[in-house]
Amino acid sequence: MPSDETKFLLRENQIPTAWFNVVPSMPTPPSPPLHPGTMQPIGPDDLAPLFPMALIGQEVSTQEWIDIPGPVLDVYRTYRPSPLYRARRLEAYLGTPARIYYKYEGVSPAGSHKPNTAIAQAFYNKAEGINRLVTETGAGQWGSALAFAGSLFDLETKVFMVRISYEQKPYRRSFIQTFGATVVPSPSTETNAGRTILESDPDSTGSLGIAISEAVEVAATHDDTKYCLGSVLNHVLLHQTVIGQEAIKQMAMAGDQPDVVIGCAGGGSNFSGIAFPFLREKLAGNSRTRFLAVEPASCPSLTQGEYRYDFGDTIGSTPLLKMHTLGNGFRPAPIHAGGLRYHGMAPMVSHLYELGFIEARAYAQNTCFEAAIQFARTEGIIPAPEASHAIRAAIDEALEAREAAQERVILFNLSGHGYFDMAAYDAYLAGQLVDVAYEPQREAVAV
């Protein structure tokens, strides 16, 4: 029987002590990254200029469980375990027989799920004697997380922030700077990659692909600097599995099992964090749970992208990844869900989608903000624009259950709060948001 409680809390001694690696559970492994020059699988030496060896090892690991270092767990304890809530007021508002649960990652110091990997990456870099980190950020959630983690491990941090988000979200910039990091709008004149983009498009609003090109260039040309990534790569998705592991225990406390697990998806880290631990049983043939990745209609890499090898950045300086991609030259529309504006999807998520274990759905931003407002007015949390995509899908699942007069257990990851995104809510409430259709390989029109 489902519990009559609303929130489900774990104790600190129930924080997962190992990350879950989904690769050993897959019926076939994902395709390896390729060196763009030789078109052969890359080796550790190819990645050494960018990452510490410990993270390179995790990137290619076939171990099912990888122990979480003690210093990482110590920091996790400042905000983990995160709470699981049952959205009772939203259920009542919708008049649905569905039971809706959400795992709330907005309780972290950075306000999202991103510190789960930022803390780990900062620790491993510091342990190998690195003192300077460089990265990119879309909406600013990842930049905030790495700035926070860098401050804890005394690491200098530089963040290339997608220009449209740099302009739309000034307080996110301030947040990053408060933790001691430097923020640069991308494309910038500080790198060859940025200068190349600006020469062809002086008014470029930027993209994650461009910002990645700039950050990778800085890391590759400075021996004292390593690159950190907030999504897409295997080790990043690995670190996020603390979310789903906790949620499994909390759903058991609630006396329920999810019929569908939902996460928003840009690069794939937040969706993977909630989904991969539950997918273990699905991959073993012991579960009928569905898994739904939700992306923006203007940047639909899973639902409309090609499954092929592509660069992870715009300039073409990264290894080639086998993934669903809109093309590394694609310039996403400057929608307010900046963290979902990426041309490709994580190779592991893409592979599982190809195998049929994951579903995908794309939404325009107005319907997502409509769902976010409904959620805020019933559950009391203003969600990030990225997370509103998961809320939209959860509400639609609940409405389908109402129409069919069927019970349905829905779990979604509320990956962050929207308290630095109020300009986006202002635009929505004023009726000024524009839904932009996906246009292959063309620069989309500004909001």
Side-chain angles (χ1 to χ4, degrees), residues 90-107:
L90 180 61
E91 292 170 11
Y93 172 81
L94 297 174
T96 179
R99 297 188 290 279
I100 305 172
Y101 297 86
Y102 59 96
K103 179 74 164 156
Y104 186 40
E105 291 293 299
V107 296

PDB file of all heavy atoms in Angstrom, residues 90-107:
ATOM      1  N   LEU A  90      -0.609  18.711  -6.578  1.00  0.00           N
ATOM      2  CA  LEU A  90      -0.660  18.676  -8.043  1.00  0.00           C
ATOM      3  C   LEU A  90      -1.602  17.577  -8.510  1.00  0.00           C
ATOM      4  O   LEU A  90      -2.391  17.776  -9.443  1.00  0.00           O
ATOM      5  CB  LEU A  90       0.736  18.458  -8.618  1.00  0.00           C
ATOM      6  CG  LEU A  90       0.829  18.390 -10.146  1.00  0.00           C
ATOM      7  CD1 LEU A  90       0.361  19.691 -10.791  1.00  0.00           C
ATOM      8  CD2 LEU A  90       2.256  18.053 -10.580  1.00  0.00           C
ATOM      9  N   GLU A  91      -1.552  16.420  -7.860  1.00  0.00           N
ATOM     10  CA  GLU A  91      -2.473  15.328  -8.200  1.00  0.00           C
ATOM     11  C   GLU A  91      -3.923  15.783  -8.063  1.00  0.00           C
ATOM     12  O   GLU A  91      -4.767  15.530  -8.938  1.00  0.00           O
ATOM     13  CB  GLU A  91      -2.224  14.128  -7.275  1.00  0.00           C
ATOM     14  CG  GLU A  91      -0.897  13.420  -7.463  1.00  0.00           C
ATOM     15  CD  GLU A  91      -0.644  12.404  -6.358  1.00  0.00           C
ATOM     16  OE1 GLU A  91      -1.574  12.100  -5.583  1.00  0.00           O
ATOM     17  OE2 GLU A  91       0.485  11.907  -6.280  1.00  0.00           O
ATOM     18  N   ALA A  92      -4.204  16.461  -6.940  1.00  0.00           N
ATOM     19  CA  ALA A  92      -5.578  16.912  -6.695  1.00  0.00           C
ATOM     20  C   ALA A  92      -6.002  17.946  -7.734  1.00  0.00           C
ATOM     21  O   ALA A  92      -7.137  17.925  -8.225  1.00  0.00           O
ATOM     22  CB  ALA A  92      -5.694  17.490  -5.287  1.00  0.00           C
ATOM     23  N   TYR A  93      -5.104  18.852  -8.062  1.00  0.00           N
ATOM     24  CA  TYR A  93      -5.397  19.879  -9.064  1.00  0.00           C
ATOM     25  C   TYR A  93      -5.726  19.253 -10.416  1.00  0.00           C
ATOM     26  O   TYR A  93      -6.649  19.698 -11.117  1.00  0.00           O
ATOM     27  CB  TYR A  93      -4.206  20.820  -9.191  1.00  0.00           C
ATOM     28  CG  TYR A  93      -4.301  21.811 -10.327  1.00  0.00           C
ATOM     29  CD1 TYR A  93      -5.054  22.977 -10.197  1.00  0.00           C
ATOM     30  CD2 TYR A  93      -3.646  21.578 -11.528  1.00  0.00           C
ATOM     31  CE1 TYR A  93      -5.156  23.882 -11.245  1.00  0.00           C
ATOM     32  CE2 TYR A  93      -3.736  22.476 -12.583  1.00  0.00           C
ATOM     33  CZ  TYR A  93      -4.486  23.627 -12.439  1.00  0.00           C
ATOM     34  OH  TYR A  93      -4.589  24.518 -13.468  1.00  0.00           O
ATOM     35  N   LEU A  94      -5.000  18.196 -10.775  1.00  0.00           N
ATOM     36  CA  LEU A  94      -5.206  17.526 -12.056  1.00  0.00           C
ATOM     37  C   LEU A  94      -6.381  16.563 -12.031  1.00  0.00           C
ATOM     38  O   LEU A  94      -6.853  16.133 -13.091  1.00  0.00           O
ATOM     39  CB  LEU A  94      -3.941  16.771 -12.465  1.00  0.00           C
ATOM     40  CG  LEU A  94      -2.682  17.620 -12.703  1.00  0.00           C
ATOM     41  CD1 LEU A  94      -1.471  16.711 -12.946  1.00  0.00           C
ATOM     42  CD2 LEU A  94      -2.879  18.581 -13.869  1.00  0.00           C
ATOM     43  N   GLY A  95      -6.844  16.205 -10.840  1.00  0.00           N
ATOM     44  CA  GLY A  95      -7.939  15.245 -10.729  1.00  0.00           C
ATOM     45  C   GLY A  95      -7.571  13.882 -11.288  1.00  0.00           C
ATOM     46  O   GLY A  95      -8.391  13.215 -11.935  1.00  0.00           O
ATOM     47  N   THR A  96      -6.361  13.455 -11.029  1.00  0.00           N
ATOM     48  CA  THR A  96      -5.848  12.221 -11.625  1.00  0.00           C
ATOM     49  C   THR A  96      -5.727  11.108 -10.596  1.00  0.00           C
ATOM     50  O   THR A  96      -5.422  11.371  -9.427  1.00  0.00           O
ATOM     51  CB  THR A  96      -4.467  12.472 -12.266  1.00  0.00           C
ATOM     52  OG1 THR A  96      -3.963  11.250 -12.825  1.00  0.00           O
ATOM     53  CG2 THR A  96      -3.457  12.986 -11.243  1.00  0.00           C
ATOM     54  N   PRO A  97      -5.945   9.864 -11.012  1.00  0.00           N
ATOM     55  CA  PRO A  97      -5.678   8.745 -10.117  1.00  0.00           C
ATOM     56  C   PRO A  97      -4.195   8.404 -10.051  1.00  0.00           C
ATOM     57  O   PRO A  97      -3.787   7.536  -9.263  1.00  0.00           O
ATOM     58  CB  PRO A  97      -6.470   7.592 -10.749  1.00  0.00           C
ATOM     59  CG  PRO A  97      -6.503   7.923 -12.206  1.00  0.00           C
ATOM     60  CD  PRO A  97      -6.572   9.422 -12.283  1.00  0.00           C
ATOM     61  N   ALA A  98      -3.392   9.069 -10.865  1.00  0.00           N
ATOM     62  CA  ALA A  98      -1.955   8.813 -10.859  1.00  0.00           C
ATOM     63  C   ALA A  98      -1.331   9.325  -9.561  1.00  0.00           C
ATOM     64  O   ALA A  98      -1.804  10.288  -8.951  1.00  0.00           O
ATOM     65  CB  ALA A  98      -1.289   9.488 -12.054  1.00  0.00           C
ATOM     66  N   ARG A  99      -0.272   8.662  -9.143  1.00  0.00           N
ATOM     67  CA  ARG A  99       0.526   9.128  -8.014  1.00  0.00           C
ATOM     68  C   ARG A  99       1.832   9.684  -8.578  1.00  0.00           C
ATOM     69  O   ARG A  99       2.568   8.984  -9.273  1.00  0.00           O
ATOM     70  CB  ARG A  99       0.776   7.998  -7.014  1.00  0.00           C
ATOM     71  CG  ARG A  99      -0.510   7.481  -6.380  1.00  0.00           C
ATOM     72  CD  ARG A  99      -0.265   6.498  -5.260  1.00  0.00           C
ATOM     73  NE  ARG A  99       0.260   5.225  -5.719  1.00  0.00           N
ATOM     74  CZ  ARG A  99      -0.475   4.234  -6.233  1.00  0.00           C
ATOM     75  NH1 ARG A  99      -1.794   4.381  -6.379  1.00  0.00           N
ATOM     76  NH2 ARG A  99       0.084   3.091  -6.606  1.00  0.00           N
ATOM     77  N   ILE A 100       2.101  10.953  -8.264  1.00  0.00           N
ATOM     78  CA  ILE A 100       3.241  11.661  -8.846  1.00  0.00           C
ATOM     79  C   ILE A 100       4.282  11.908  -7.749  1.00  0.00           C
ATOM     80  O   ILE A 100       3.961  12.475  -6.694  1.00  0.00           O
ATOM     81  CB  ILE A 100       2.813  13.012  -9.454  1.00  0.00           C
ATOM     82  CG1 ILE A 100       1.688  12.808 -10.469  1.00  0.00           C
ATOM     83  CG2 ILE A 100       4.007  13.701 -10.107  1.00  0.00           C
ATOM     84  CD1 ILE A 100       1.081  14.121 -10.970  1.00  0.00           C
ATOM     85  N   TYR A 101       5.503  11.480  -8.000  1.00  0.00           N
ATOM     86  CA  TYR A 101       6.617  11.703  -7.081  1.00  0.00           C
ATOM     87  C   TYR A 101       7.706  12.493  -7.799  1.00  0.00           C
ATOM     88  O   TYR A 101       7.904  12.345  -9.006  1.00  0.00           O
ATOM     89  CB  TYR A 101       7.212  10.375  -6.603  1.00  0.00           C
ATOM     90  CG  TYR A 101       6.271   9.506  -5.815  1.00  0.00           C
ATOM     91  CD1 TYR A 101       5.408   8.618  -6.457  1.00  0.00           C
ATOM     92  CD2 TYR A 101       6.246   9.546  -4.416  1.00  0.00           C
ATOM     93  CE1 TYR A 101       4.546   7.796  -5.737  1.00  0.00           C
ATOM     94  CE2 TYR A 101       5.386   8.733  -3.686  1.00  0.00           C
ATOM     95  CZ  TYR A 101       4.537   7.862  -4.349  1.00  0.00           C
ATOM     96  OH  TYR A 101       3.681   7.047  -3.631  1.00  0.00           O
ATOM     97  N   TYR A 102       8.423  13.316  -7.038  1.00  0.00           N
ATOM     98  CA  TYR A 102       9.569  13.993  -7.626  1.00  0.00           C
ATOM     99  C   TYR A 102      10.748  13.997  -6.656  1.00  0.00           C
ATOM    100  O   TYR A 102      10.600  14.189  -5.459  1.00  0.00           O
ATOM    101  CB  TYR A 102       9.236  15.416  -8.087  1.00  0.00           C
ATOM    102  CG  TYR A 102       8.724  16.375  -7.034  1.00  0.00           C
ATOM    103  CD1 TYR A 102       9.584  17.257  -6.379  1.00  0.00           C
ATOM    104  CD2 TYR A 102       7.364  16.433  -6.725  1.00  0.00           C
ATOM    105  CE1 TYR A 102       9.112  18.151  -5.438  1.00  0.00           C
ATOM    106  CE2 TYR A 102       6.881  17.330  -5.783  1.00  0.00           C
ATOM    107  CZ  TYR A 102       7.758  18.189  -5.143  1.00  0.00           C
ATOM    108  OH  TYR A 102       7.292  19.073  -4.209  1.00  0.00           O
ATOM    109  N   LYS A 103      11.912  13.732  -7.211  1.00  0.00           N
ATOM    110  CA  LYS A 103      13.177  13.780  -6.483  1.00  0.00           C
ATOM    111  C   LYS A 103      13.722  15.187  -6.657  1.00  0.00           C
ATOM    112  O   LYS A 103      13.938  15.650  -7.789  1.00  0.00           O
ATOM    113  CB  LYS A 103      14.134  12.740  -7.084  1.00  0.00           C
ATOM    114  CG  LYS A 103      15.516  12.671  -6.447  1.00  0.00           C
ATOM    115  CD  LYS A 103      15.486  12.001  -5.104  1.00  0.00           C
ATOM    116  CE  LYS A 103      16.914  11.605  -4.678  1.00  0.00           C
ATOM    117  NZ  LYS A 103      17.024  11.481  -3.218  1.00  0.00           N
ATOM    118  N   TYR A 104      13.942  15.897  -5.549  1.00  0.00           N
ATOM    119  CA  TYR A 104      14.266  17.324  -5.636  1.00  0.00           C
ATOM    120  C   TYR A 104      15.751  17.574  -5.398  1.00  0.00           C
ATOM    121  O   TYR A 104      16.245  17.499  -4.277  1.00  0.00           O
ATOM    122  CB  TYR A 104      13.429  18.119  -4.642  1.00  0.00           C
ATOM    123  CG  TYR A 104      13.620  19.616  -4.785  1.00  0.00           C
ATOM    124  CD1 TYR A 104      13.718  20.198  -6.051  1.00  0.00           C
ATOM    125  CD2 TYR A 104      13.709  20.440  -3.684  1.00  0.00           C
ATOM    126  CE1 TYR A 104      13.895  21.563  -6.209  1.00  0.00           C
ATOM    127  CE2 TYR A 104      13.877  21.803  -3.824  1.00  0.00           C
ATOM    128  CZ  TYR A 104      13.981  22.363  -5.092  1.00  0.00           C
ATOM    129  OH  TYR A 104      14.165  23.713  -5.242  1.00  0.00           O
ATOM    130  N   GLU A 105      16.444  17.897  -6.495  1.00  0.00           N
ATOM    131  CA  GLU A 105      17.885  18.160  -6.435  1.00  0.00           C
ATOM    132  C   GLU A 105      18.205  19.637  -6.221  1.00  0.00           C
ATOM    133  O   GLU A 105      19.384  20.009  -6.142  1.00  0.00           O
ATOM    134  CB  GLU A 105      18.549  17.666  -7.717  1.00  0.00           C
ATOM    135  CG  GLU A 105      18.567  16.155  -7.844  1.00  0.00           C
ATOM    136  CD  GLU A 105      19.470  15.493  -6.801  1.00  0.00           C
ATOM    137  OE1 GLU A 105      20.681  15.784  -6.804  1.00  0.00           O
ATOM    138  OE2 GLU A 105      18.952  14.710  -5.987  1.00  0.00           O
ATOM    139  N   GLY A 106      17.187  20.483  -6.126  1.00  0.00           N
ATOM    140  CA  GLY A 106      17.417  21.906  -5.921  1.00  0.00           C
ATOM    141  C   GLY A 106      17.903  22.265  -4.534  1.00  0.00           C
ATOM    142  O   GLY A 106      18.169  23.435  -4.258  1.00  0.00           O
ATOM    143  N   VAL A 107      18.050  21.279  -3.653  1.00  0.00           N
ATOM    144  CA  VAL A 107      18.518  21.553  -2.290  1.00  0.00           C
ATOM    145  C   VAL A 107      20.035  21.666  -2.211  1.00  0.00           C
ATOM    146  O   VAL A 107      20.577  21.993  -1.158  1.00  0.00           O
ATOM    147  CB  VAL A 107      18.044  20.449  -1.315  1.00  0.00           C
ATOM    148  CG1 VAL A 107      16.536  20.433  -1.216  1.00  0.00           C
ATOM    149  CG2 VAL A 107      18.580  19.075  -1.733  1.00  0.00           C
TER     150      VAL A 107
END
